[in-house]
Amino acid sequence: MKKYSNLTKVIHIVGARPNFMKIAPLMEEMSKYPQYFDQLLLHTGQHYDDEMSKSFFDDLRLTKPDVYLGVGSGTHSEQTGKIMIEFERVCLQEKPDLVIVVGDVNSTIACAIVAAKLCIPIAHIEAGLRSFDRTMPEEINRVLTDQISDYLFTTCEDANQNLIKEGITENKIFFVGNVMIDTLLSHIEIAKNSNILEKLGLRKNNKIKKYAVVTLHRPSNVDNPKILMGILNALNELAKEIPLIFPAHPRTIKQIRNFKHQEMVNHEENFLSEGLNNTNRNVLTIPPLGYLDFLCLMSNAAIVLTDSGGIQEETTVLGIPCLTLRNNTERPITVKEGTNIVVGNNPDNIINTALSVLKNQNSRKKIPKYWDGKAAERIVKILSSKPRLLNVL
Ligand code: UD1
């Protein structure tokens, strides 16, 4: 039995790139209340390359993880299973009062299952998002994590409705806004100091060249040679109009090589250390960028083409037109209120929509409610106003 203490011991879980910017504002906010919270940061090691992980710790000034599980890549079951085995050991030793998981990656569901079975309360940040597409691994992770969580913090009101329809009791659901936007708003000024535009030859004498940004990593887009070829064809067609900068996820580069599509892109493997010697490229792939460089690149783009979830939200707040290369989105508010258009992966559709958006550049729309930089504040207020979370270990 855990000894009584006034402190709530919290383990924050991060594992993959999109987790870091969601946990950072929460940890910062909780650190203002050392009388309530004792925080530990656990990194599962799902993402392990420096560009996918360490650079985010540096940019976001996140503390070094207290625990690193180092699970690495594998099949979904291997990755999820390894995280569960290792995280259970940590929980038995640390006896946390609360486990905080974010988003929808394999680290999220793996740690949530472990905590639920040890009867440790779970807070899920970014609960209730639904694409209604169960072929997406993230959708499975979202639905299951929500079912076993005790505090469901949502970014938009439609997420509350999704949860209620799935039978989750209303008193567990809290509409608090978007922690990823907390991070965006608190870093947008610092990101202006990034020299990424100069490094890419996009800014000269204070004039910024018109360019587009591309990111792709979803299995549904990059694991099928025909689909990937179709998208790359569309990008090459668009590149006749506007240069495309494509910071590429490691799995995407691997697949471009596996399918022998290298001639469809100009890959600059050593760009980050050596810079560019020739800036007149069309579809230019570079290694993944750090948070501040990417924020600077995205916020000056004429258009962004992506299959990421978070970028749909970030472009909405930045007022940058976004084409989502998927058949659905779990973030419909970015379409209804923001700058997002879901175009799928049909090459003609991608080209025609992008050209039409580039012609009519007037995409600033509404910023969704509570995407105001204060989501972490709301979450911590709710967690600290609850009766002390009791651990049953
Ligand atoms: C994961 C998330 C996805 C999120 C994405 C952000 C799941 C199910 N998916 O997808 O929701 O949008 O992160 O990036 O959790 N790899 C490396 N180095 C790394 C990490 C990955 O080379 O640091 C390569 C490996 O070959 C690995 C592949 O990328 O097999 C996929 O990595 P994985 O973590 O399984 O999923 P992501 O595609 O990154």
Side-chain angles (χ1 to χ4, degrees):
M1 183 66 84
K2 189 172 190 288
K3 255 173 68 188
Y4 181 82
S5 136
N6 283 326
L7 285 177
T8 296
K9 187 168 191 177
V10 180
I11 302 191
H12 300 271
I13 307 297
V14 291
R17 183 170 59 176
N19 298 157
F20 307 126
M21 46 286 219
K22 295 173 190 167
I23 283 292
L26 268 175
M27 289 194 75
E28 192 182 332
E29 186 62 24
M30 274 194 178
S31 68
K32 295 179 189 163
Y33 304 96
Q35 70 276 33
Y36 295 141
F37 299 109
D38 172 17
Q39 311 190 64
L40 285 183
L41 179 61
L42 180 143
H43 188 337
T44 64
Q46 176 174 347
H47 284 177
Y48 43 85
D49 284 350
D50 279 1
E51 302 107 17
M52 299 295 285
S53 175
K54 185 177 173 300
S55 81
F56 286 78
F57 278 76
D58 298 341
D59 279 2
L60 301 171
R61 280 168 288 132
L62 261 171
T63 57
K64 218 171 147 256
D66 299 285
V67 186
Y68 184 70
L69 303 183
V71 298
S73 302
T75 65
H76 283 266
S77 301
E78 280 166 357
Q79 198 171 52
T80 310
K82 274 192 210 162
I83 298 171
M84 286 180 67
I85 292 167
E86 295 302 322
F87 184 52
E88 187 179 53
R89 284 195 193 116
V90 175
C91 285
L92 291 171
Q93 190 183 329
E94 296 293 340
K95 302 181 173 35
D97 303 297
L98 178 70
V99 168
I100 299 190
V101 295
V102 295
D104 55 17
V105 302
N106 287 342
S107 301
T108 311
I109 180 66
C111 293
I113 294 176
V114 170
K117 295 219 170 173
L118 293 172
C119 300
I120 302 165
I122 303 163
H124 183 205
I125 315 287
E126 210 184 65
L129 297 184
R130 296 290 179 269
S131 63
F132 303 102
D133 174 1
R134 295 253 170 132
T135 65
M136 278 181 86
E138 294 83 359
E139 183 75 354
I140 309 292
N141 294 343
R142 288 189 277 261
V143 170
L144 298 181
T145 303
D146 285 338
Q147 280 298 324
I148 55 178
S149 291
D150 302 276
Y151 297 88
L152 296 102
F153 293 110
T154 62
T155 56
C156 51
E157 279 158 322
D158 49 274
N160 288 41
Q161 293 315 312
N162 292 337
L163 293 171
I164 289 165
K165 278 187 207 145
E166 288 172 16
I168 292 174
T169 47
E170 268 184 74
N171 63 4
K172 288 187 183 175
I173 307 170
F174 306 91
F175 169 39
V176 289
N178 194 327
V179 281
M180 209 183 56
I181 302 306
D182 290 7
T183 298
L184 185 150
L185 296 176
S186 62
H187 287 79
I188 188 83
E189 280 305 311
I190 316 170
K192 287 184 182 157
N193 298 329
S194 156
N195 64 357
I196 191 71
L197 299 182
E198 285 75 13
K199 272 174 111 177
L200 286 162
L202 295 169
R203 178 158 50 201
K204 276 191 191 134
N205 307 323
N206 265 338
K207 263 202 91 177
I208 297 177
K209 208 166 153 181
K210 203 169 168 184
Y211 63 90
V213 172
V214 179
T215 83
L216 285 178
H217 71 280
R218 296 261 159 226
S220 57
N221 281 334
V222 306
D223 287 0
N224 176 318
K226 252 194 179 159
I227 294 176
L228 182 59
M229 182 74 165
I231 295 176
L232 293 177
N233 270 326
L235 296 180
N236 273 276
E237 198 52 39
L238 257 188
K240 293 178 184 161
E241 285 293 315
I242 186 168
L244 304 188
I245 315 295
F246 183 173
H249 189 290
R251 84 180 289 141
T252 308
I253 288 298
K254 269 183 212 162
Q255 295 298 49
I256 290 175
R257 287 191 182 128
N258 284 346
F259 303 148
K260 311 217 177 324
H261 290 341
Q262 289 98 318
E263 76 293 347
M264 307 287 291
V265 298
N266 296 287
H267 188 51
E268 284 287 342
E269 181 84 46
N270 300 321
F271 162 74
L272 292 175
S273 53
E274 292 170 14
L276 270 186
N277 46 19
N278 172 7
T279 56
N280 290 324
R281 306 299 183 89
N282 290 327
V283 182
L284 173 66
T285 51
I286 54 176
L289 294 177
Y291 183 75
L292 295 171
D293 284 344
F294 188 72
L295 182 53
C296 177
L297 186 69
M298 177 169 57
S299 59
N300 287 290
I303 187 170
V304 175
L305 296 95
T306 190
D307 59 11
S308 146
I311 292 174
Q312 298 171 47
E313 298 180 338
E314 291 170 331
T315 46
T316 272
V317 171
L318 294 167
I320 307 288
C322 175
L323 302 197
T324 295
L325 276 55
R326 290 171 38 192
N327 294 324
N328 50 52
T329 177
E330 61 290 332
R331 292 160 161 91
I333 197 163
T334 59
V335 176
K336 208 166 122 211
E337 300 189 8
T339 58
N340 189 18
I341 306 173
V342 177
V343 290
N345 55 21
N346 174 288
D348 288 338
N349 213 7
I350 297 170
I351 299 165
N352 295 337
T353 317
L355 292 177
S356 130
V357 168
L358 285 169
K359 236 194 236 158
N360 318 299
Q361 279 279 357
N362 55 355
S363 139
R364 165 145 314 270
K365 297 204 182 129
K366 251 175 86 180
I367 294 181
K369 188 175 167 190
Y370 288 170
W371 292 19
D372 58 358
K374 295 191 171 140
E377 209 177 297
R378 292 187 192 99
I379 292 170
V380 172
K381 210 171 188 177
I382 291 164
L383 290 174
S384 53
S385 70
K386 292 280 148 196
R388 191 177 162 277
L389 299 154
L390 272 184
N391 189 322
V392 296
L393 281 178

